[in-house]
């Protein structure tokens, strides 16, 4: 090992900024600070020795004892050169390491007592130290080969050094190290320790340089690729110009890429589109496939992937808009208000899927538009009437010539937002054939759990439909497939009563027609009774479509009369209504004028509302035949047979002849035979009429009834109670017999109608007969 000695002396001190000086190192630096210049002058007066140490922070202008390191290098000043601006350039040579013992002076320059480590380098080097020197030299050689910053001559001069301490110092002086790393080497007084620190730093620098080299290689390769692409594109431009194709494919591709960035597409969709654009850039602009890809990319980028309108969640405002556009439709309006109320609390919510079921003309389609207006959403409509091709829903695959997306995606593009109100009109009119089943294709669209990933065959990427509010309309639920119906929330939109039609005509229809026919409200005076007569005798419907047509006819004829007679006011009274609409087209059955045997009044539901049904029964001598006439359907025929079986089981109680079913033919007839009739509603009515004919007991003329009959005489519930009761009221009926289980349906009947009628709820035929048949005692009283 090398022998160590210490020597103490007092020398002027200069703190260096961002610079470390090693022993055996010759370098020059500039001095500008006044303290440092004073220290130089002091050194030149003595034996030209100065102590150089490094500042911990290079930015410090006026360092103190805490701002520089204790260990530094004693150096000898070789040369001084004054520069413009009072600065001095100094050339120094490092001699040996030293440590500050005490700072003896700070003004006008730093002066410190230092302890110098004097090492005898000529002592014998052991094997371990020699191995360490060789290892450091190999590492330095590797460092020089990778860095390309050190000339080979330096490597040769370093190899010739035999002293271990000097070897470490010379190598350290040529390496690009941080101040902290250089200081760590400088503070290693023992040559062996110094070599170990240096070796560790060399390995770290080599590793960093290799990473840098790898990065540079990659960057260079990328630059070469970009340069190659640029060169090829420039060649392509020249070729296109020579061929007369002046359109720049590069500009088009750049435009597509800009649109892709702005569209903020889902990750999978973006990857798909970028792939298609890259394919397009490699194709000839005139090729057929490039046109297909352009159309596809345009479709993807035109869809509202992230565009949606902000819902107007003001419940009171929504109520006003819905009431402004439509009269009645209480259930539909309540459902929309409930949706808005929940949306105020739950910001993220799936759009509801509502099915409005009701007869034609009741406003199913127009209420969907009002819903969109009340929610501040865009509105799109797709009619499903007669749609039989699945591709109309899901689109065609791109392998087919002329392929396009389905009508759902097309409508979403038209809407321009991902959360419109989407109306599927006439969903019960879907059909299917060899081209597929559109109803099955709609399952994914109308399933709240699936439609967030709706995939069109053309797009081949999922589109989120969960924010769309789907509204479907149908006249009947019977033709809607069960799986499709199960995914929708059904709201019944029943027909309007006479009072409701009157209000709709006065508030909406008549003002609208007067405006469309360029008249003012004061030009046409129509009494309330005239509108009632139009409703009752010129239209027969559940909705108000034909009523609006009749009012339009009145307005047209009124305008003609105003011009011909040069009058400003046209008054229409019940007496002159025929002059405008002709003779009445419809009539309503009225209650019988007297109690009749074998004639019972039933109640029926039709697509245009309720109606009364007069059922006549007569018995004739015969052999027990049951004759049914009047266009009766299978259900009605079965109800008649069930009624006869019930009567036969009650022969003794009804005091009938035991063999009546063998000696008498029973003929049941329902007038207006051209109109098909079917349903269970007339079961108890037919049974009552048959019993009346067999017992010769009259039926109360002011009693009407509806309900199904069983073999045991139980009365089962039926539908359409509201419409049937309104029809009975119109016909002058005073008492109505209804099944007990239909008691809940009475709430839908207007209050003013309920007050006029006596509603009796029955659960057995005995109760029906007690209310319907006129007993002998009652006849005698009369």
């Amino acid at each position: 090992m090398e022998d160590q000695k210490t020597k103490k002396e007092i020398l002027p001190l200069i703190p260096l900024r961002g610079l470390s000086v090693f022993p055996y190192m010759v370098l020059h630096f500039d001095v500008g600070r006044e303290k440092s210049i004073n220290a130089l002058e002091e050194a030149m007066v003595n034996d030209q020795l100065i102590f150089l140490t490094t500042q911990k922070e290079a930015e410090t202008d006026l360092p103190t004892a805490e701002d520089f390191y204790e260990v530094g290098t004693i150096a000898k000043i070789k040369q001084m050169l004054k520069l413009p601006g009072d600065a001095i350039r100094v050339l120094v040579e490092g001699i040996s390491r030293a440590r500050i013992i005490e700072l003896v002076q700070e003004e006008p320059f730093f002066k410190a007592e230092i302890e110098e480590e004097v090492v005898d380098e000529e002592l014998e080097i052991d094997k371990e130290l020699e191995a360490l020197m060789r290892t450091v030299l190999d590492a330095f050689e590797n460092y020089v080969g990778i860095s390309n910053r050190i000339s080979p001559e330096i490597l040769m001069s370093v190899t010739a050094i035999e002293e271990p301490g000097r070897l470490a110092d010379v190598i350290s002086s040529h390496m690009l190290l941080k101040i902290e790393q250089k200081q760590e080497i400088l503070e290693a007084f023992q040559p062996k320790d110094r070599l170990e620190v240096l070796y560790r730093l060399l390995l770290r620098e080599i590793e960093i340089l290799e990473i840098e080299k790898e990065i540079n290689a990659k960057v260079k390769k990328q630059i070469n690729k970009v340069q190659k692409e640029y060169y090829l594109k420039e060649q392509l431009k020249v070729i296109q110009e020579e061929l007369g194709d002046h359109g720049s494919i590069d500009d088009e591709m750049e435009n597509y890429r800009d649109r892709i960035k702005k569209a903020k597409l889902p990750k999978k969709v973006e990857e798909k589109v970028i792939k298609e654009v890259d394919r397009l850039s490699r194709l000839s602009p005139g090729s057929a496939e490039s046109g297909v890809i352009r159309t596809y990319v345009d479709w993807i980028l035109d869809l509202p992937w992230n565009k949606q309108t902000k819902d107007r969640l003001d419940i009171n405002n929504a109520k006003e808009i819905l009431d402004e556009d439509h009269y009645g439709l209480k259930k539909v309006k309540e459902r929309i208000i409930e949706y808005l109320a929940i949306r105020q609390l739950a910001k993220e919510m799936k759009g509801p899927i509502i099915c409005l079921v009701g007869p034609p003309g009741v406003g199913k389609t127009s209420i969907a538009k009002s819903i969109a207006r009340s929610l501040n959403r865009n509105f799109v409509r797709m009619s499903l009437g007669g749609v039989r091709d699945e591709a109309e829903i899901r689109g065609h695959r791109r392998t087919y010539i002329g392929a396009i997306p389905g009508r759902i995606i097309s409508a979403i593009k038209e809407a321009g937002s991902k959360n419109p109100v989407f109306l599927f009109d006439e969903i019960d009119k879907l059909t299917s054939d060899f081209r597929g089943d559109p109803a099955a294709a709609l399952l994914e669209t109308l399933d709240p759990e699936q439609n967030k990933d709706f995939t069109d065959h053309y797009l081949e990427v999922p589109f989120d439909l969960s924010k769309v509010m789907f509204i479907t309309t149908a006249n009947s639920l019977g033709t809607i497939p069960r799986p499709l119906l199960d995914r929708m929330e059904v709201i019944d939109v029943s027909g309007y009563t006479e009072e409701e039609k009157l209000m709709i005509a006065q508030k909406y229809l008549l003002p609208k027609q007067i405006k469309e026919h360029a008249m003012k409200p004061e030009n046409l005076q129509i009494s309330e009774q005239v509108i009632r007569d139009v409703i009752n005798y010129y239209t027969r419907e559940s909705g108000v479509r034909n009523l609006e047509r009749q009012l339009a006819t009145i307005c047209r004829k009124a305008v003609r009369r105003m011009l011909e007679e040069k009058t400003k006011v046209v008054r229409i009274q019940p007496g002159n209504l025929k002059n405008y609409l002709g003779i009445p087209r419809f009539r309503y059955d009225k209650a019988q004028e007297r109690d009749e045997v074998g004639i019972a009044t039933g109640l029926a539901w039709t697509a245009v509302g309720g109606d009364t049904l007069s059922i006549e029964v007569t018995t004739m001598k015969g052999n027990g035949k049951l004759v049914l006439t009047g266009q009766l359907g299978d259900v009605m025929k079965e109800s008649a047979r069930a009624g006869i079986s019930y009567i036969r089981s009650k022969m003794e109680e009804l005091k009938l002849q035991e063999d009546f079913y063998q000696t008498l033919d029973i003929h049941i007839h329902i007038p207006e035979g051209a109109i098909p009739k079917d349903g269970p509603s007339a079961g108890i009515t037919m049974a009552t009429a048959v019993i009346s004919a067999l017992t010769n007991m009259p039926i109360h003329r002011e009693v009407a009834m509806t309900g199904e009959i069983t073999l045991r005489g139980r009365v089962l519930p039926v539908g359409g109670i509201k419409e049937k009761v309104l029809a009975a009221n119109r016909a002058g009926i005073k008492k109505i017999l209804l099944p007990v289980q239909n008691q809940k349906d009475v709430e839908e009947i207007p209050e003013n109608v309920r007050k006029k009628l006596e509603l009796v709820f029955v659960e057995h035929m005995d109760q029906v007969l007690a209310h319907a048949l006129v007993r002998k005692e009652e006849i005698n009283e009369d």
Side-chain angles (χ1 to χ4, degrees), residues 259-273:
R259 289 176 64 188
I260 290 169
K261 287 179 184 176
K262 291 176 183 176
K264 296 180 181 177
L265 304 173
K267 187 177 179 182
K268 289 184 179 178
V269 180
E270 186 174 344
E271 289 174 357
K272 175 83 173 172
V273 181

Side-chain angles (χ1 to χ4, degrees), residues 133 167 184 281 370 386 394 413 515 548 574-575 634 637 691:
M133 289 174 66
L167 177 69
E184 189 179 357
S281 65
S370 296
R394 282 187 173 276
K413 176 188 171 185
K515 185 178 178 181
E548 186 173 10
D634 292 337
K637 290 176 182 177
I691 291 170

Side-chain angles (χ1 to χ4, degrees), residues 273-287:
V273 181
I274 290 173
K275 186 177 178 183
E276 293 295 328
V277 170
D278 290 342
R279 279 184 61 208
L280 180 60
S281 65
R282 293 192 293 269
L283 292 173
S284 169
S287 68

Side-chain angles (χ1 to χ4, degrees), residues 178-307:
K178 294 180 182 177
I179 291 298
E180 293 82 359
Q181 293 171 331
K182 287 186 176 183
Q183 190 66 29
E184 189 179 357
I185 297 172
L186 199 61
E187 290 178 1
F189 283 83
Q190 291 290 341
K192 182 181 177 184
D193 296 341
R194 205 178 308 160
L195 285 168
E196 287 176 351
V197 172
L198 176 62
Y199 182 60
R200 174 166 50 81
L201 293 175
L202 269 170
L203 292 181
R204 184 177 181 276
E205 288 299 312
I206 288 168
E207 187 177 353
I208 292 171
L209 286 170
E210 284 178 344
I211 295 171
E212 281 183 6
K213 190 174 181 182
E214 189 178 338
I215 293 170
N216 289 334
K218 286 182 181 177
V219 171
K220 188 176 180 182
K221 185 178 179 183
Q222 187 68 27
I223 291 171
N224 290 340
K225 183 182 176 184
V226 171
Q227 288 175 336
K228 182 180 177 183
E229 286 179 357
Y230 174 77
Y231 179 68
L232 291 173
K233 284 177 181 176
E234 290 299 315
Q235 281 186 321
L236 186 61
K237 281 182 184 178
V238 174
I239 293 169
Q240 286 173 345
E241 288 174 5
E242 290 295 324
L243 293 172
D245 184 8
H246 299 291
S248 174
I249 189 74
D250 286 342
D251 292 344
E252 186 183 8
M253 294 305 103
E254 194 62 33
N255 181 40
Y256 274 136
R257 291 188 175 93
D258 288 343
R259 289 176 64 188
I260 290 169
K261 287 179 184 176
K262 291 176 183 176
K264 296 180 181 177
L265 304 173
K267 187 177 179 182
K268 289 184 179 178
V269 180
E270 186 174 344
E271 289 174 357
K272 175 83 173 172
V273 181
I274 290 173
K275 186 177 178 183
E276 293 295 328
V277 170
D278 290 342
R279 279 184 61 208
L280 180 60
S281 65
R282 293 192 293 269
L283 292 173
S284 169
S287 68
E289 190 177 359
S290 67
V292 173
I293 295 175
R294 277 188 182 87
T295 306
Y296 176 77
V297 173
D298 286 337
W299 265 104
I300 292 283
L301 296 177
D302 288 342
L303 286 174
W305 296 94
N306 289 298
K307 296 176 185 175

Side-chain angles (χ1 to χ4, degrees), residues 291-395:
V292 173
I293 295 175
R294 277 188 182 87
T295 306
Y296 176 77
V297 173
D298 286 337
W299 265 104
I300 292 283
L301 296 177
D302 288 342
L303 286 174
W305 296 94
N306 289 298
K307 296 176 185 175
Q308 61 183 61
T309 54
K310 187 175 181 181
D311 284 350
R312 186 193 292 123
L313 302 176
D314 187 346
I315 294 175
N316 295 323
N317 183 63
K319 280 182 183 176
E320 288 178 10
I321 292 174
L322 293 171
D323 290 337
E324 180 185 324
D325 292 348
H326 290 83
Y327 180 82
L329 301 177
K330 183 180 176 183
K331 287 184 181 178
V332 186
K333 293 176 181 177
E334 280 184 354
R335 181 63 184 85
I336 302 309
I337 299 303
E338 288 165 3
Y339 171 73
L340 285 176
I342 296 171
R343 279 282 285 110
Q344 284 188 354
L345 300 177
K347 300 302 179 186
E348 293 296 324
M349 183 184 176
K350 292 175 182 175
I353 296 168
I354 298 170
C355 181
L356 305 178
V357 181
V362 294
K364 299 186 296 297
T365 302
S366 59
I367 190 69
K369 293 181 181 178
S370 296
I371 289 169
R373 192 161 75 91
S374 66
L375 292 173
N376 190 37
R377 290 193 180 192
N378 298 329
F379 175 78
V380 283
R381 174 182 171 273
M382 175 180 173
S383 177
L384 296 174
V387 172
R388 61 184 67 205
D389 188 354
E390 181 188 343
E392 287 202 48
I393 306 295
R394 282 187 173 276

Side-chain angles (χ1 to χ4, degrees), residues 703-773:
V703 173
M705 62 195 78
T706 183
E708 172 65 308
I709 187 173
T710 69
L711 295 176
R712 304 283 182 183
R714 289 188 300 121
V715 180
L716 300 182
V718 290
I721 296 297
K722 176 185 174 183
E723 288 80 2
K724 291 175 181 178
V725 171
L726 294 173
N729 176 60
R730 192 167 51 233
I733 299 296
K734 301 297 181 186
K735 182 189 287 188
I736 302 177
L737 308 182
L738 300 171
V740 168
Q741 294 180 43
N742 283 119
Q743 199 163 354
K744 64 182 183 302
D745 300 316
V746 175
E747 294 178 3
E748 297 181 5
I749 301 169
E751 184 69 27
N752 60 333
V753 176
R754 270 188 278 174
K755 289 179 180 178
K756 295 179 185 177
L757 299 171
E758 181 186 353
L759 303 178
V760 179
F761 297 96
V762 295
E763 55 184 343
H764 197 273
M765 270 303 296
D766 295 343
Q767 295 171 282
V768 176
L769 297 176
H771 286 283
L773 297 179

